[in-house]
Amino acid sequence: MGVEPENTLRSFAAAQRAGLDLIELDLHLSKDGALVVMHDADVDRTTDGSGPIAEKTLAELRALDAGRGERVPVFEEVLEAVRAPLQAEIKDVAAARALAEVMRARDLTTRVEVSSFHDDAVAEIARLVPGVRTALVASRYGTDVVDRAVAAGASTVCLNIRRLTLEVVEHARASGLRIIGWVVNTQDHLRLVRALGLDGATTDYPEIKRTGRFTA
């Protein structure tokens, strides 16, 4: 997020205060199997530590500074701190299985949408949590992304706005999919979202909510 340390409770609180429709977060598994909230596979960019998340225990991750004194949050903390609907991005099938346990235990099917760049992770969470809303995310893609999303059981495609074309939009609409554009941080991209009639957009700047419907 552009105004607070990303993927921290502080950033989620700011997004919630801005009244965004949905708050996006990223999930990885720690060495001891905890669902931790961080975008990258390693901690180097967003904390004062170094190394892969998968090689660190939850206690080791919690000892890091994630920016402005914030700790690396776990998924359950975000659930307690934020009341807005969430979109949780998972990185692999193992994370899908861990997230499915939490979603079933806490009855989160209507509150949490699950997204992933990986078709198999989308298909796995859909299998494990019947009725969950899922989204396939893509950066480099063609019209084939629509067919992949349908095959994985996704109801939404989250697509890099810089590569989005009318052909892809029309194919997605014909297949009954919702379309979210990312990352929309400029007025030019906002105009494109509106021109293409997208269902929403992901942004790093919650204040852009004043001019459209967004997630962050």
Side-chain angles (χ1 to χ4, degrees), residues 8-162:
T8 62
L9 294 181
R10 184 171 179 149
S11 70
F12 300 136
Q16 182 165 261
R17 286 195 301 271
L20 297 183
D21 306 301
L22 188 69
I23 296 175
E24 193 264 353
L25 53 84
D26 303 274
L27 296 176
H28 287 270
L29 286 178
S30 67
K31 183 178 181 179
D32 45 355
L35 279 169
V36 295
V37 182
M38 190 177 292
H39 181 275
D40 299 353
D42 57 55
V43 303
D44 299 59
R45 181 178 64 86
T46 57
T47 79
D48 60 349
S50 63
I53 295 172
E55 295 179 5
K56 298 182 182 297
T57 65
L58 178 58
E60 291 171 328
L61 292 166
R62 298 285 273 176
L64 302 176
D65 185 343
R68 301 185 188 178
E70 290 288 299
R71 295 193 303 176
V72 176
V74 293
F75 181 54
E76 288 83 353
E77 278 185 309
V78 181
L79 291 171
E80 296 299 328
V82 175
R83 296 305 173 195
L86 301 173
Q87 184 185 80
E89 182 185 328
I90 51 177
K91 309 300 181 177
D92 53 34
V93 170
R97 292 169 181 158
L99 178 58
E101 290 185 18
V102 177
M103 291 188 67
R104 290 195 302 261
R106 301 185 63 146
D107 192 21
L108 298 174
T109 305
T110 59
R111 183 180 172 196
V112 178
E113 179 180 49
V114 183
S115 66
S116 183
F117 278 89
H118 305 288
D119 306 42
D120 55 350
V122 172
E124 183 70 354
I125 194 75
R127 182 183 72 82
L128 294 172
V129 187
V132 65
R133 292 169 292 117
T134 57
L136 182 65
V137 190
S139 179
R140 296 180 178 276
Y141 57 87
T143 55
D144 63 298
V145 72
V146 174
D147 304 317
R148 289 170 47 207
V150 171
S155 58
T156 300
V157 283
C158 298
L159 303 176
N160 182 350
I161 194 74
R162 293 167 180 79

